Amino acid sequence: MKKATLATLIAAMFVTATAQAQTSPDTLTKVLETKELVVCSPGDYKPFSFDNNGKFEGVDNDLMDKLAQSMGAKVTIVKTTWKTLMDDFTANKCDIAVGGISITLERQQKALFTEPYFINGKTPIVRCENVDKYQTVEQINRPEVRIIANPGGSNEKYARNELSNANLTMNAENLTIFQQVIDKKVDVFVSEAAEAIVKAHEHKGVLCAVNPDKPLKPAQNGWLIHNGDYRFKSYVDQFLHLEKMSGNLDKTINKWLPRD
């Protein structure tokens, strides 16, 4: 009787393990077979990923090309938005999601992240004459200060949670926010340090990043991997590790991130 019970238990465990194996994603095998890596990206966040008239370019796009090449595949981009990023990703519209995505606990409840490849953090972007006025959260988080954010991402979350006393304007997209600051329609946009550096470089003498080397809230960037897809996560993590060890990661970042 005990032998029969043990045999039944082992059989049940085998069936369960087999079912899990069949339902768990296996992106690595899929990409190796189809020769295509499908990538979700909002494409509005320099220096990581930017839709330049249909051609996506930036740190993440260069790295995606190299990652795909390592599997003998080509990259196909699926354009998304920060508001729909997680829904599109969890609906399996792509194999991996990139574009300057901050690693957050909220996102990790729905997907895996690769190891971090960039240290970032929330940094104010202001008109240069106002740099001294908006150095701290306390200086920004006031009713008379007009802040702005784009919907759906960590910028909106930070604005609503950490700057709840400020006068918030929501802007439909990320790309046009900076002109709102330049035109004095708002005072402060809190984004990531990397974007603040890029935009200050593009609008030199007009827009300034406030202490991008000391963000208001430090963060790290990573890429989204589907839940349970640990084989692909290990592969991508090793790819990033090799890029770091070789110095190629720094070269790619420095290509797109101005330092002056």
Short mmCIF file of all heavy atoms in Angstrom, two decimals, residues 163-224:
data_model
loop_
_atom_site.label_atom_id
_atom_site.label_comp_id
_atom_site.label_asym_id
_atom_site.label_seq_id
_atom_site.Cartn_x
_atom_site.Cartn_y
_atom_site.Cartn_z
N LEU A 163 5.85 64.63 -4.38
CA LEU A 163 5.67 66.07 -4.59
C LEU A 163 4.18 66.42 -4.61
O LEU A 163 3.71 67.21 -5.42
CB LEU A 163 6.32 66.49 -5.93
CG LEU A 163 7.81 66.16 -6.08
CD1 LEU A 163 8.28 66.46 -7.49
CD2 LEU A 163 8.65 66.92 -5.06
N SER A 164 3.46 65.82 -3.70
CA SER A 164 1.99 65.93 -3.70
C SER A 164 1.49 67.34 -3.38
O SER A 164 0.33 67.67 -3.67
CB SER A 164 1.39 64.94 -2.69
OG SER A 164 1.90 65.18 -1.39
N ASN A 165 2.31 68.18 -2.79
CA ASN A 165 1.88 69.55 -2.48
C ASN A 165 2.10 70.52 -3.63
O ASN A 165 1.56 71.63 -3.63
CB ASN A 165 2.63 70.07 -1.24
CG ASN A 165 2.23 69.35 0.03
OD1 ASN A 165 1.08 68.95 0.18
ND2 ASN A 165 3.18 69.16 0.93
N ALA A 166 2.90 70.11 -4.61
CA ALA A 166 3.17 70.98 -5.75
C ALA A 166 1.98 70.97 -6.71
O ALA A 166 1.10 70.10 -6.65
CB ALA A 166 4.44 70.53 -6.47
N ASN A 167 1.96 71.93 -7.61
CA ASN A 167 0.88 72.08 -8.59
C ASN A 167 1.22 71.25 -9.83
O ASN A 167 2.02 71.68 -10.67
CB ASN A 167 0.72 73.56 -8.94
CG ASN A 167 -0.43 73.82 -9.88
OD1 ASN A 167 -1.14 72.89 -10.29
ND2 ASN A 167 -0.63 75.08 -10.23
N LEU A 168 0.62 70.07 -9.95
CA LEU A 168 0.98 69.11 -10.99
C LEU A 168 0.15 69.28 -12.25
O LEU A 168 -1.08 69.33 -12.21
CB LEU A 168 0.81 67.68 -10.47
CG LEU A 168 1.01 66.55 -11.49
CD1 LEU A 168 2.43 66.54 -12.03
CD2 LEU A 168 0.67 65.19 -10.85
N THR A 169 0.84 69.33 -13.39
CA THR A 169 0.21 69.28 -14.71
C THR A 169 0.64 67.98 -15.38
O THR A 169 1.84 67.66 -15.42
CB THR A 169 0.66 70.46 -15.59
OG1 THR A 169 0.17 71.68 -15.02
CG2 THR A 169 0.12 70.32 -17.01
N MET A 170 -0.33 67.23 -15.91
CA MET A 170 0.00 66.01 -16.63
C MET A 170 0.12 66.33 -18.12
O MET A 170 -0.73 67.02 -18.68
CB MET A 170 -1.07 64.94 -16.40
CG MET A 170 -1.12 64.42 -14.97
SD MET A 170 0.46 63.71 -14.43
CE MET A 170 0.64 62.37 -15.61
N ASN A 171 1.19 65.84 -18.74
CA ASN A 171 1.43 66.05 -20.16
C ASN A 171 1.34 64.70 -20.86
O ASN A 171 1.92 63.71 -20.40
CB ASN A 171 2.81 66.66 -20.37
CG ASN A 171 2.95 67.36 -21.70
OD1 ASN A 171 2.33 68.40 -21.92
ND2 ASN A 171 3.74 66.79 -22.60
N ALA A 172 0.62 64.65 -21.95
CA ALA A 172 0.29 63.37 -22.59
C ALA A 172 1.51 62.56 -22.98
O ALA A 172 1.50 61.33 -22.94
CB ALA A 172 -0.60 63.61 -23.82
N GLU A 173 2.59 63.22 -23.36
CA GLU A 173 3.79 62.50 -23.79
C GLU A 173 5.03 63.12 -23.19
O GLU A 173 5.03 64.27 -22.75
CB GLU A 173 3.89 62.48 -25.31
CG GLU A 173 3.96 63.87 -25.93
CD GLU A 173 4.16 63.83 -27.43
OE1 GLU A 173 4.00 62.76 -28.00
OE2 GLU A 173 4.48 64.88 -27.99
N ASN A 174 6.10 62.33 -23.19
CA ASN A 174 7.34 62.79 -22.60
C ASN A 174 8.05 63.84 -23.46
O ASN A 174 8.66 64.78 -22.95
CB ASN A 174 8.26 61.58 -22.38
CG ASN A 174 9.47 61.90 -21.52
OD1 ASN A 174 9.35 62.54 -20.49
ND2 ASN A 174 10.63 61.48 -21.96
N LEU A 175 7.98 63.70 -24.77
CA LEU A 175 8.81 64.48 -25.68
C LEU A 175 8.53 65.98 -25.62
O LEU A 175 9.44 66.78 -25.83
CB LEU A 175 8.62 63.98 -27.12
CG LEU A 175 9.13 62.57 -27.41
CD1 LEU A 175 8.80 62.17 -28.84
CD2 LEU A 175 10.63 62.47 -27.16
N THR A 176 7.29 66.38 -25.37
CA THR A 176 6.94 67.81 -25.40
C THR A 176 7.02 68.48 -24.03
O THR A 176 6.77 69.69 -23.92
CB THR A 176 5.53 68.00 -25.97
OG1 THR A 176 4.59 67.24 -25.19
CG2 THR A 176 5.45 67.51 -27.42
N ILE A 177 7.36 67.74 -23.01
CA ILE A 177 7.43 68.30 -21.66
C ILE A 177 8.48 69.41 -21.57
O ILE A 177 8.27 70.44 -20.93
CB ILE A 177 7.73 67.20 -20.63
CG1 ILE A 177 6.44 66.45 -20.28
CG2 ILE A 177 8.35 67.77 -19.35
CD1 ILE A 177 6.60 65.35 -19.27
N PHE A 178 9.60 69.20 -22.20
CA PHE A 178 10.74 70.11 -22.03
C PHE A 178 10.44 71.51 -22.58
O PHE A 178 10.89 72.51 -22.01
CB PHE A 178 11.98 69.50 -22.68
CG PHE A 178 12.22 68.10 -22.18
CD1 PHE A 178 11.77 67.00 -22.90
CD2 PHE A 178 12.82 67.89 -20.96
CE1 PHE A 178 11.95 65.72 -22.43
CE2 PHE A 178 13.01 66.61 -20.47
CZ PHE A 178 12.56 65.51 -21.21
N GLN A 179 9.67 71.56 -23.65
CA GLN A 179 9.28 72.86 -24.20
C GLN A 179 8.35 73.59 -23.23
O GLN A 179 8.36 74.83 -23.17
CB GLN A 179 8.61 72.69 -25.56
CG GLN A 179 8.48 73.98 -26.34
CD GLN A 179 9.82 74.64 -26.65
OE1 GLN A 179 10.75 73.97 -27.06
NE2 GLN A 179 9.91 75.95 -26.44
N GLN A 180 7.56 72.84 -22.47
CA GLN A 180 6.68 73.45 -21.47
C GLN A 180 7.51 74.17 -20.41
O GLN A 180 7.13 75.24 -19.93
CB GLN A 180 5.80 72.37 -20.82
CG GLN A 180 4.87 71.63 -21.76
CD GLN A 180 3.75 72.51 -22.27
OE1 GLN A 180 3.13 73.23 -21.51
NE2 GLN A 180 3.49 72.44 -23.56
N VAL A 181 8.63 73.56 -20.04
CA VAL A 181 9.53 74.19 -19.05
C VAL A 181 10.19 75.42 -19.68
O VAL A 181 10.26 76.49 -19.06
CB VAL A 181 10.60 73.19 -18.56
CG1 VAL A 181 11.51 73.87 -17.53
CG2 VAL A 181 9.96 71.95 -17.95
N ILE A 182 10.68 75.27 -20.91
CA ILE A 182 11.33 76.38 -21.60
C ILE A 182 10.39 77.57 -21.75
O ILE A 182 10.78 78.73 -21.53
CB ILE A 182 11.83 75.92 -22.99
CG1 ILE A 182 12.98 74.92 -22.84
CG2 ILE A 182 12.29 77.12 -23.82
CD1 ILE A 182 13.38 74.25 -24.14
N ASP A 183 9.12 77.29 -22.08
CA ASP A 183 8.13 78.34 -22.31
C ASP A 183 7.55 78.92 -21.01
O ASP A 183 6.61 79.73 -21.05
CB ASP A 183 6.99 77.81 -23.17
CG ASP A 183 7.43 77.51 -24.60
OD1 ASP A 183 8.49 78.01 -25.02
OD2 ASP A 183 6.73 76.73 -25.29
N LYS A 184 8.06 78.47 -19.88
CA LYS A 184 7.67 78.97 -18.56
C LYS A 184 6.22 78.65 -18.21
O LYS A 184 5.61 79.33 -17.38
CB LYS A 184 7.92 80.48 -18.45
CG LYS A 184 9.37 80.87 -18.64
CD LYS A 184 9.59 82.36 -18.42
CE LYS A 184 11.07 82.71 -18.59
NZ LYS A 184 11.33 84.15 -18.35
N LYS A 185 5.68 77.60 -18.83
CA LYS A 185 4.33 77.16 -18.48
C LYS A 185 4.36 76.32 -17.21
O LYS A 185 3.34 76.19 -16.52
CB LYS A 185 3.72 76.39 -19.64
CG LYS A 185 3.48 77.26 -20.87
CD LYS A 185 2.86 76.48 -22.01
CE LYS A 185 2.60 77.38 -23.21
NZ LYS A 185 2.02 76.64 -24.36
N VAL A 186 5.51 75.71 -16.93
CA VAL A 186 5.74 74.99 -15.68
C VAL A 186 7.14 75.33 -15.21
O VAL A 186 7.95 75.89 -15.96
CB VAL A 186 5.58 73.47 -15.84
CG1 VAL A 186 4.16 73.10 -16.20
CG2 VAL A 186 6.56 72.93 -16.87
N ASP A 187 7.45 74.94 -13.97
CA ASP A 187 8.75 75.30 -13.39
C ASP A 187 9.73 74.13 -13.35
O ASP A 187 10.93 74.33 -13.55
CB ASP A 187 8.55 75.82 -11.96
CG ASP A 187 7.61 77.01 -11.91
OD1 ASP A 187 7.84 77.96 -12.67
OD2 ASP A 187 6.65 76.97 -11.12
N VAL A 188 9.21 72.94 -13.07
CA VAL A 188 10.09 71.80 -12.80
C VAL A 188 9.54 70.53 -13.42
O VAL A 188 8.33 70.26 -13.34
CB VAL A 188 10.26 71.55 -11.27
CG1 VAL A 188 11.24 70.40 -11.01
CG2 VAL A 188 10.72 72.81 -10.56
N PHE A 189 10.42 69.77 -14.03
CA PHE A 189 10.10 68.40 -14.45
C PHE A 189 11.12 67.48 -13.78
O PHE A 189 12.33 67.63 -13.97
CB PHE A 189 10.18 68.26 -15.97
CG PHE A 189 10.03 66.84 -16.47
CD1 PHE A 189 9.08 65.98 -15.92
CD2 PHE A 189 10.82 66.36 -17.51
CE1 PHE A 189 8.93 64.68 -16.38
CE2 PHE A 189 10.68 65.07 -17.98
CZ PHE A 189 9.74 64.22 -17.42
N VAL A 190 10.64 66.55 -12.99
CA VAL A 190 11.53 65.60 -12.33
C VAL A 190 11.52 64.31 -13.13
O VAL A 190 10.52 63.60 -13.19
CB VAL A 190 11.11 65.33 -10.86
CG1 VAL A 190 12.04 64.30 -10.24
CG2 VAL A 190 11.15 66.62 -10.06
N SER A 191 12.65 64.00 -13.74
CA SER A 191 12.82 62.80 -14.53
C SER A 191 14.05 62.05 -14.02
O SER A 191 14.46 62.24 -12.87
CB SER A 191 12.96 63.15 -16.02
OG SER A 191 13.03 61.98 -16.81
N GLU A 192 14.65 61.23 -14.87
CA GLU A 192 15.86 60.52 -14.47
C GLU A 192 17.09 61.35 -14.80
O GLU A 192 17.10 62.17 -15.72
CB GLU A 192 15.94 59.16 -15.18
CG GLU A 192 14.77 58.25 -14.89
CD GLU A 192 14.69 57.84 -13.43
OE1 GLU A 192 15.74 57.77 -12.76
OE2 GLU A 192 13.56 57.61 -12.94
N ALA A 193 18.17 61.11 -14.06
CA ALA A 193 19.40 61.87 -14.23
C ALA A 193 19.91 61.83 -15.66
O ALA A 193 20.34 62.84 -16.21
CB ALA A 193 20.47 61.35 -13.26
N ALA A 194 19.86 60.65 -16.28
CA ALA A 194 20.38 60.50 -17.64
C ALA A 194 19.64 61.38 -18.62
O ALA A 194 20.24 62.05 -19.46
CB ALA A 194 20.31 59.04 -18.08
N GLU A 195 18.31 61.40 -18.51
CA GLU A 195 17.52 62.24 -19.41
C GLU A 195 17.76 63.72 -19.12
O GLU A 195 17.84 64.54 -20.05
CB GLU A 195 16.03 61.92 -19.29
CG GLU A 195 15.17 62.72 -20.26
CD GLU A 195 13.72 62.27 -20.29
OE1 GLU A 195 13.12 62.14 -19.22
OE2 GLU A 195 13.21 62.06 -21.40
N ALA A 196 17.90 64.05 -17.84
CA ALA A 196 18.17 65.45 -17.48
C ALA A 196 19.48 65.93 -18.08
O ALA A 196 19.58 67.06 -18.59
CB ALA A 196 18.20 65.59 -15.96
N ILE A 197 20.50 65.08 -18.07
CA ILE A 197 21.80 65.42 -18.65
C ILE A 197 21.68 65.63 -20.15
O ILE A 197 22.21 66.60 -20.71
CB ILE A 197 22.83 64.32 -18.34
CG1 ILE A 197 23.16 64.31 -16.84
CG2 ILE A 197 24.11 64.52 -19.16
CD1 ILE A 197 23.97 63.11 -16.40
N VAL A 198 20.97 64.72 -20.82
CA VAL A 198 20.81 64.83 -22.28
C VAL A 198 20.07 66.11 -22.66
O VAL A 198 20.48 66.84 -23.57
CB VAL A 198 20.06 63.60 -22.83
CG1 VAL A 198 19.64 63.82 -24.28
CG2 VAL A 198 20.93 62.35 -22.72
N LYS A 199 18.98 66.40 -21.97
CA LYS A 199 18.18 67.57 -22.32
C LYS A 199 18.89 68.88 -21.97
O LYS A 199 18.75 69.88 -22.69
CB LYS A 199 16.82 67.51 -21.62
CG LYS A 199 15.93 66.39 -22.16
CD LYS A 199 15.70 66.55 -23.65
CE LYS A 199 14.88 65.43 -24.24
NZ LYS A 199 14.68 65.59 -25.70
N ALA A 200 19.68 68.88 -20.91
CA ALA A 200 20.47 70.06 -20.58
C ALA A 200 21.53 70.30 -21.66
O ALA A 200 21.85 71.45 -22.00
CB ALA A 200 21.13 69.90 -19.23
N HIS A 201 22.05 69.22 -22.22
CA HIS A 201 23.03 69.33 -23.30
C HIS A 201 22.37 69.84 -24.58
O HIS A 201 22.94 70.68 -25.29
CB HIS A 201 23.67 67.96 -23.55
CG HIS A 201 24.69 67.95 -24.65
ND1 HIS A 201 25.97 68.43 -24.48
CD2 HIS A 201 24.61 67.54 -25.94
CE1 HIS A 201 26.64 68.31 -25.61
NE2 HIS A 201 25.84 67.78 -26.52
N GLU A 202 21.16 69.35 -24.87
CA GLU A 202 20.45 69.78 -26.07
C GLU A 202 20.01 71.24 -25.99
O GLU A 202 19.95 71.93 -27.01
CB GLU A 202 19.22 68.89 -26.30
CG GLU A 202 19.53 67.48 -26.74
CD GLU A 202 18.28 66.66 -26.99
OE1 GLU A 202 17.16 67.18 -26.75
OE2 GLU A 202 18.41 65.49 -27.41
N HIS A 203 19.68 71.70 -24.78
CA HIS A 203 19.19 73.07 -24.58
C HIS A 203 20.16 73.82 -23.67
O HIS A 203 19.76 74.41 -22.66
CB HIS A 203 17.79 73.06 -23.98
CG HIS A 203 16.78 72.30 -24.79
ND1 HIS A 203 16.15 72.84 -25.89
CD2 HIS A 203 16.30 71.03 -24.68
CE1 HIS A 203 15.31 71.96 -26.41
NE2 HIS A 203 15.39 70.85 -25.69
N LYS A 204 21.43 73.79 -24.05
CA LYS A 204 22.49 74.37 -23.22
C LYS A 204 22.24 75.85 -22.94
O LYS A 204 21.93 76.63 -23.85
CB LYS A 204 23.83 74.18 -23.93
CG LYS A 204 25.04 74.41 -23.03
CD LYS A 204 26.32 73.97 -23.73
CE LYS A 204 26.35 72.47 -23.93
NZ LYS A 204 27.66 72.01 -24.46
N GLY A 205 22.33 76.19 -21.67
CA GLY A 205 22.12 77.57 -21.26
C GLY A 205 20.67 77.93 -21.03
O GLY A 205 20.37 79.00 -20.50
N VAL A 206 19.77 77.03 -21.40
CA VAL A 206 18.33 77.27 -21.21
C VAL A 206 17.77 76.33 -20.16
O VAL A 206 17.14 76.75 -19.19
CB VAL A 206 17.57 77.09 -22.54
CG1 VAL A 206 16.07 77.33 -22.32
CG2 VAL A 206 18.11 78.05 -23.60
N LEU A 207 17.99 75.02 -20.36
CA LEU A 207 17.58 74.02 -19.37
C LEU A 207 18.81 73.48 -18.65
O LEU A 207 19.86 73.29 -19.26
CB LEU A 207 16.85 72.85 -20.05
CG LEU A 207 15.48 73.14 -20.67
CD1 LEU A 207 14.90 71.87 -21.26
CD2 LEU A 207 14.52 73.75 -19.64
N CYS A 208 18.65 73.25 -17.37
CA CYS A 208 19.75 72.71 -16.56
C CYS A 208 19.26 71.52 -15.72
O CYS A 208 18.12 71.53 -15.22
CB CYS A 208 20.31 73.77 -15.62
SG CYS A 208 21.35 75.01 -16.44
N ALA A 209 20.12 70.53 -15.58
CA ALA A 209 19.87 69.41 -14.66
C ALA A 209 20.38 69.80 -13.28
O ALA A 209 21.50 70.30 -13.14
CB ALA A 209 20.59 68.16 -15.16
N VAL A 210 19.56 69.59 -12.27
CA VAL A 210 19.92 69.98 -10.91
C VAL A 210 20.59 68.80 -10.20
O VAL A 210 19.93 67.81 -9.86
CB VAL A 210 18.68 70.45 -10.11
CG1 VAL A 210 19.09 70.88 -8.70
CG2 VAL A 210 17.98 71.60 -10.84
N ASN A 211 21.87 68.88 -10.02
CA ASN A 211 22.64 67.87 -9.29
C ASN A 211 22.37 66.44 -9.78
O ASN A 211 21.98 65.57 -9.00
CB ASN A 211 22.35 67.94 -7.79
CG ASN A 211 22.62 69.32 -7.21
OD1 ASN A 211 23.57 69.98 -7.60
ND2 ASN A 211 21.77 69.75 -6.30
N PRO A 212 22.57 66.17 -11.08
CA PRO A 212 22.29 64.82 -11.59
C PRO A 212 23.18 63.73 -10.98
O PRO A 212 22.82 62.56 -11.00
CB PRO A 212 22.55 64.96 -13.10
CG PRO A 212 23.47 66.12 -13.22
CD PRO A 212 23.09 67.08 -12.13
N ASP A 213 24.34 64.15 -10.40
CA ASP A 213 25.21 63.18 -9.74
C ASP A 213 24.75 62.86 -8.32
O ASP A 213 25.26 61.93 -7.68
CB ASP A 213 26.65 63.70 -9.70
CG ASP A 213 26.76 65.07 -9.05
OD1 ASP A 213 25.77 65.84 -9.08
OD2 ASP A 213 27.83 65.38 -8.50
N LYS A 214 23.75 63.61 -7.84
CA LYS A 214 23.16 63.37 -6.52
C LYS A 214 21.64 63.44 -6.64
O LYS A 214 21.01 64.41 -6.21
CB LYS A 214 23.67 64.38 -5.50
CG LYS A 214 25.17 64.31 -5.25
CD LYS A 214 25.61 65.37 -4.25
CE LYS A 214 27.11 65.31 -4.02
NZ LYS A 214 27.56 66.37 -3.07
N PRO A 215 21.01 62.41 -7.23
CA PRO A 215 19.57 62.44 -7.48
C PRO A 215 18.75 62.57 -6.20
O PRO A 215 19.20 62.19 -5.11
CB PRO A 215 19.30 61.09 -8.16
CG PRO A 215 20.63 60.62 -8.64
CD PRO A 215 21.64 61.16 -7.69
N LEU A 216 17.54 63.11 -6.36
CA LEU A 216 16.62 63.19 -5.22
C LEU A 216 16.25 61.80 -4.72
O LEU A 216 16.03 61.58 -3.52
CB LEU A 216 15.34 63.94 -5.64
CG LEU A 216 15.51 65.38 -6.13
CD1 LEU A 216 14.16 65.94 -6.56
CD2 LEU A 216 16.16 66.25 -5.05
N LYS A 217 16.15 60.86 -5.65
CA LYS A 217 15.83 59.48 -5.31
C LYS A 217 16.62 58.56 -6.25
O LYS A 217 16.30 58.44 -7.42
CB LYS A 217 14.33 59.20 -5.46
CG LYS A 217 13.92 57.79 -5.05
CD LYS A 217 12.42 57.60 -5.18
CE LYS A 217 12.01 56.20 -4.75
NZ LYS A 217 10.54 56.00 -4.88
N PRO A 218 17.67 57.90 -5.74
CA PRO A 218 18.49 57.02 -6.60
C PRO A 218 17.67 55.87 -7.15
O PRO A 218 16.70 55.40 -6.54
CB PRO A 218 19.58 56.52 -5.64
CG PRO A 218 19.62 57.52 -4.53
CD PRO A 218 18.20 58.00 -4.38
N ALA A 219 18.06 55.41 -8.34
CA ALA A 219 17.37 54.30 -8.98
C ALA A 219 18.35 53.56 -9.89
O ALA A 219 19.46 54.01 -10.13
CB ALA A 219 16.17 54.80 -9.78
N GLN A 220 17.90 52.41 -10.38
CA GLN A 220 18.68 51.63 -11.33
C GLN A 220 17.79 51.26 -12.51
O GLN A 220 16.57 51.12 -12.37
CB GLN A 220 19.23 50.36 -10.67
CG GLN A 220 20.26 50.62 -9.58
CD GLN A 220 20.73 49.34 -8.93
OE1 GLN A 220 19.91 48.49 -8.56
NE2 GLN A 220 22.03 49.19 -8.78
N ASN A 221 18.40 51.09 -13.66
CA ASN A 221 17.67 50.68 -14.85
C ASN A 221 17.97 49.23 -15.21
O ASN A 221 19.09 48.74 -15.03
CB ASN A 221 18.04 51.56 -16.05
CG ASN A 221 17.60 52.99 -15.86
OD1 ASN A 221 18.42 53.90 -15.82
ND2 ASN A 221 16.31 53.21 -15.73
N GLY A 222 16.94 48.55 -15.71
CA GLY A 222 17.08 47.18 -16.17
C GLY A 222 16.09 46.91 -17.29
O GLY A 222 15.33 47.79 -17.68
N TRP A 223 16.11 45.69 -17.79
CA TRP A 223 15.19 45.28 -18.86
C TRP A 223 14.19 44.28 -18.31
O TRP A 223 14.51 43.47 -17.43
CB TRP A 223 15.96 44.65 -20.02
CG TRP A 223 16.95 45.56 -20.66
CD1 TRP A 223 16.89 46.93 -20.76
CD2 TRP A 223 18.17 45.18 -21.29
NE1 TRP A 223 17.98 47.42 -21.41
CE2 TRP A 223 18.80 46.36 -21.77
CE3 TRP A 223 18.80 43.95 -21.52
CZ2 TRP A 223 20.02 46.36 -22.44
CZ3 TRP A 223 20.02 43.94 -22.19
CH2 TRP A 223 20.61 45.14 -22.64
N LEU A 224 12.98 44.31 -18.82
CA LEU A 224 11.92 43.40 -18.37
C LEU A 224 12.02 42.04 -19.05
O LEU A 224 12.17 41.95 -20.26
CB LEU A 224 10.54 44.00 -18.64
CG LEU A 224 10.12 45.20 -17.78
CD1 LEU A 224 8.82 45.79 -18.31
CD2 LEU A 224 9.97 44.80 -16.32
#
